[in-house]
Amino acid sequence: MTPQPPSTPAQPPYPPPFTGQERASVSAADPRWARPALLALLLVTAVLYLWSLSASGYANQFYSAAVQAGSESWKAFFFGSSDAANSITVDKPPAALWPMALSVRLFGLSAWAILVPEALMGVATVGVLFSAVRRRFGAGAGLLAGGALAVTPVAALMFRFNNPDALLCLLMVCAIAAVLRALEDGRTKWLVLAGVCFGLGFLTKTLQAWLILPALAVVYACCAPVALRRRFGQLLLAGLAIVVSGGWWVAIVELWPASSRPYIGGSQHNSFLELTFGYNGFGRISGNETGSVGGGGGGGWGETGITRLFSSDMGGQISWLLPAALILLVASVCLLWRARRAVAAEQAGQRAEFLVWGGALLMTFTTFSFMSGIFHQYYNIALAPYIAALVGMGAALLWRRGGPIASLVLAVTVAATAGWSYVLLNRSPDWLPWLRWTVLALGLLAALGLLLSARAGRRVALLAAGLGVATALAGPVAYTLDTVNTPKGGSIITAGPSVQGGMGGMRGPGGGGFPGGRQGGAWRGNNGGMPGGAPGAGQTGQGLPGFPGAMGGVGERGTGRQRGMGGGMGGLLNGSKVSDKAKALLEKDADDYTWAAAAIGSQNAASYQLATEKPVMAIGGFNGSDPSPTLAQFKKYVADGKVHYFIAGGQGGKGGHGRQRGPGGGKGGSSKITSWVEKTFKKVTVGSATFYDLTRKA
């Protein structure tokens, strides 16, 4: 009788977990496809973020004008001035402007020169996130995290735009990556490097960069593999690095004589510290933002609460994978914590990594959910890398652990993601109506496959997992493709298609939407149009209290329709289209003046400055409400022959309806300047725009 060979045990559907030795040399443990897959991910991300980039023009002209000014004047570069003659700064620190200004100095002023650095920051962020997740969880987890970040709609939106959020996102991911390296072996240099990233983040968007600091500090103090006394010493050194890297610029600005530097935009007393802790700081939490669009009274930016980021106007921007991230975070921490006494060093490191990313997510999520001050949809890019990392790490951990419980958690995660994607897609019922049903059906099928994978074998498990990932990312990919194919401009932009019941994040005292808007009206928001239009149209706006009833640009009496890159709230949220005749008027003899013109509000001034590449004074800063310049100062500028024209219209003066406009109106300095100019100087009309020649008396 021929002896039978011993039976080979069935291969489990899940690969074994990493050991500590494998993690120590993870590059050697990576499969052959890892590096080509990473290069492909970065290439696809670059194409996605660079595609038709110039269609958005100068995007947010408020920042583009400051970039143009910084490319002409090193003083404007240093301070972040709105114009090269240094009348006033933007209402943020200048770090986000520096890469764009250097690009414009090298390549000249263009949409590409301004926006390409932002797109490259997006590619770098995806690469750093991949590297951080890969070290403990493998190349597959890193690719899933990087891919999820790349196609998050709000990330694709902001990495193609020129607001400070792109650089801030990159710096926060770099800071977390450095903290994770410090947690591996307790080396001080990595923690100091994280401190430098937080300091530069402060110079990008002030206190928002420090939202996640407490969580990271607590995790390091509890989990670092060095003596407790050494941990606190390292944290003090990291704090010193934050102060030095973020405080040097603040110290120079505060010590610089106010008479020889630009006014600090966004402040009421020409102080950067006031701007930091007031308008851009605790005022964002309490809603008491003196000088803001809402006038500092609070309550104008939507209902707060735990469901805020799942609402109609926020959900499609960021929340596609948020339920999955929360489920995987809880499941993974419980899995790693349950065996904490006997856990291996590698598992302890994995647990610490979940606590770092999870702490960053929860701190930011909680702050965004309950803050009462100014809150725009695009702020949610801050959450994107944290969500993507937790999804990649959690999926990889449970996949490698295997077993009925892991299969159940993965199945529930996929089913919940498919169900929530259906809800989000259903908010745009006329946009790709087939997609929501496809995602729901295939997602539930993938969840069923994951439940049965332990019995059905590895092939079924792999097929179900692949289908689950595809359905989870289908909705974000569709939103992202719509985003990159739609030009964006102005101060308030959103990703993806119009949604029903949108604009809940800007609720006014009279109901939904911006002050004076209509509750529940759909609003696309891509090109600066304001809420209040007919439901589902996303194109029209009503009159807003304190603002012009028309929505046209400077010198125009619009009908309320979105005007693409031009128009929008009398120049508060958007710039305006500058005609060739108006451009020629301002360019004539412009070099004989310090400022070719002056305008109420930064967006109005920015449009003409970008068209002519000549300094244009932004009276009152962004909102037209900053006390700079005063009427006496402006009269002296005019008497000294420093300003040629005054551009009529804008949110701080009298518009086509003969009433005061915006926060700069009433008793504000910008309104007084407007009244004085209109009574004193000769009016010049060019097309639909009106100017006052400050060299010719009426």
Side-chain angles (χ1 to χ4, degrees):
M1 187 174 186
T2 305
Q4 298 293 325
S7 60
T8 303
Q11 185 179 8
Y14 306 99
F18 276 144
T19 65
Q21 293 79 8
E22 286 175 331
R23 211 256 344 130
S25 57
V26 71
S27 60
D30 279 346
R32 292 182 178 180
W33 51 261
R35 180 167 296 181
L38 171 62
L39 294 176
L41 172 63
L42 297 180
L43 178 61
V44 170
T45 303
V47 171
L48 188 67
Y49 291 171
L50 292 170
W51 181 265
S52 192
L53 192 60
S54 62
S56 295
Y58 290 126
N60 190 341
Q61 296 188 17
F62 173 59
Y63 291 116
S64 291
V67 168
Q68 182 274 331
S71 70
E72 296 286 340
S73 163
W74 285 114
K75 185 176 181 180
F77 178 92
F78 177 80
F79 285 106
S81 300
S82 292
D83 62 86
N86 293 286
S87 63
I88 194 170
T89 71
V90 298
D91 58 1
K92 301 288 187 298
L97 303 173
W98 291 341
M100 294 183 283
L102 292 175
S103 175
V104 172
R105 275 186 177 268
L106 288 173
F107 303 107
L109 180 64
S110 69
W112 279 96
I114 291 175
L115 297 179
V116 165
E118 308 298 285
L120 296 181
M121 288 177 196
V123 177
T125 305
V126 170
V128 174
L129 181 64
F130 167 86
S131 177
V133 172
R134 161 186 166 272
R135 286 186 64 81
R136 287 193 184 275
F137 295 91
L143 288 171
L144 178 56
L149 172 61
V151 299
T152 299
V154 73
L157 175 74
M158 296 313 295
F159 285 129
R160 295 167 49 85
F161 210 69
N162 60 333
N163 281 23
D165 302 78
L167 178 59
L168 181 64
C169 186
L170 172 60
L171 288 170
M172 293 303 95
V173 173
C174 289
I176 291 179
V179 170
L180 294 177
R181 291 296 299 270
L183 281 167
E184 289 182 9
D185 50 21
R187 281 189 285 180
T188 304
K189 69 175 185 179
W190 290 110
L191 211 58
V192 171
L193 178 60
V196 172
C197 291
F198 280 115
L200 295 176
F202 177 83
L203 291 183
T204 301
K205 211 174 179 188
T206 58
L207 296 181
Q208 185 180 331
W210 295 354
L211 282 181
I212 64 175
L213 259 178
L216 270 61
V218 168
V219 173
Y220 190 84
C222 295
C223 301
V226 293
L228 184 62
R229 183 176 179 180
R230 180 174 172 79
R231 297 177 203 174
F232 285 106
Q234 291 174 321
L235 288 172
L236 288 175
L237 286 175
L240 179 62
I242 294 174
V243 172
V244 172
S245 59
W248 65 273
W249 184 87
V250 179
I252 293 175
V253 171
E254 289 297 304
L255 294 174
W256 198 296
S259 59
S260 63
R261 64 160 169 78
Y263 186 92
I264 303 301
S267 73
Q268 296 300 300
H269 300 92
N270 200 11
S271 168
F272 181 77
L273 293 179
E274 177 201 339
L275 174 67
T276 298
F277 295 104
Y279 178 71
N280 278 340
F282 299 114
R284 298 291 174 115
I285 304 298
S286 66
N288 186 23
E289 300 157 298
T290 302
S292 73
V293 175
W301 298 93
E303 294 180 356
T304 60
I306 200 70
T307 62
R308 184 184 205 178
L309 302 189
F310 298 93
S311 64
S312 294
D313 53 326
M314 301 289 174
Q317 310 298 303
I318 189 61
S319 71
W320 299 89
L321 299 178
L322 184 53
L326 295 174
I327 293 171
L328 293 172
L329 171 62
V330 173
S332 299
V333 170
C334 290
L335 180 65
L336 295 170
W337 208 284
R338 199 172 64 180
R340 59 184 179 276
R341 292 185 177 277
V343 75
E346 174 61 18
Q347 291 174 304
Q350 290 178 335
R351 185 175 67 219
E353 190 155 339
F354 273 105
L355 293 177
V356 166
W357 290 108
L361 172 63
L362 294 177
M363 287 292 294
T364 308
F365 175 86
T366 303
T367 303
F368 284 2
S369 295
F370 293 95
M371 61 186 286
S372 299
I374 294 175
F375 185 70
H376 298 310
Q377 293 93 327
Y378 62 79
Y379 289 2
N380 287 304
I381 187 180
L383 292 160
Y386 315 148
I387 293 172
L390 289 171
V391 168
M393 292 158 43
L397 177 68
L398 293 172
W399 175 262
R400 290 180 176 278
R401 286 300 178 107
I405 295 179
S407 297
L408 176 61
V409 173
L410 288 173
V412 169
T413 302
V414 170
T417 302
W420 181 239
S421 294
Y422 173 86
V423 172
L424 293 175
L425 292 168
N426 197 47
R427 290 173 177 173
S428 304
D430 297 327
W431 181 75
L432 302 181
W434 56 270
L435 182 59
R436 60 182 182 271
W437 292 108
T438 302
V439 167
L440 181 62
L442 295 182
L444 295 178
L445 180 62
L448 179 62
L450 288 170
L451 278 177
L452 302 176
S453 59
R455 296 182 179 181
R458 182 179 179 82
R459 181 173 298 179
V460 172
L462 288 172
L463 181 61
L467 185 60
V469 170
T471 55
L473 297 181
V477 167
Y479 254 60
T480 294
L481 292 177
D482 179 87
T483 301
V484 302
N485 283 302
T486 306
K488 311 290 177 180
S491 299
I492 299 180
I493 56 171
T494 58
S498 304
V499 295
Q500 291 182 332
M503 209 49 205
M506 294 180 64
R507 183 181 299 275
F514 204 83
R518 175 183 294 180
Q519 187 172 10
W523 179 63
R524 187 171 180 85
N526 290 332
N527 297 317
M530 294 305 301
Q539 293 290 328
T540 60
Q542 295 174 341
L544 310 176
F547 296 100
M551 306 302 294
V554 176
E556 297 183 62
R557 294 186 58 175
T559 62
R561 284 189 68 82
Q562 290 180 328
R563 294 181 175 271
M565 300 301 110
M569 207 162 179
L572 174 61
L573 301 178
N574 256 1
S576 58
K577 185 176 181 180
V578 179
S579 68
D580 291 337
K581 291 182 179 180
K583 176 183 175 183
L585 178 71
L586 294 188
E587 287 178 334
K588 184 178 180 180
D589 300 326
D591 293 336
D592 295 337
Y593 301 87
T594 304
W595 293 278
I600 304 296
S602 296
Q603 289 284 16
N604 291 328
S607 299
Y608 289 92
Q609 181 170 304
L610 291 168
T612 63
E613 299 189 43
K614 304 295 182 182
V616 177
M617 179 188 294
I619 298 174
F622 181 82
N623 297 319
S625 59
D626 297 345
S628 173
T630 63
L631 176 59
Q633 288 172 330
F634 189 75
K635 285 183 176 180
K636 189 174 188 308
Y637 290 143
V638 174
D640 292 342
K642 292 185 176 182
V643 189
H644 194 178
Y645 289 100
F646 179 87
I647 303 170
Q651 66 267 25
K654 291 182 180 180
H657 299 273
R659 60 179 179 174
Q660 297 296 332
R661 292 181 172 185
K667 298 181 180 180
S670 57
S671 177
K672 293 178 181 178
I673 290 172
T674 300
S675 298
W676 175 70
V677 168
E678 291 176 346
K679 294 176 182 178
T680 310
F681 297 99
K682 183 175 179 59
K683 181 188 295 187
V684 179
T685 301
V686 179
S688 61
T690 301
F691 304 88
Y692 288 86
D693 188 341
L694 302 183
T695 65
R696 301 169 63 188
K697 293 291 182 70

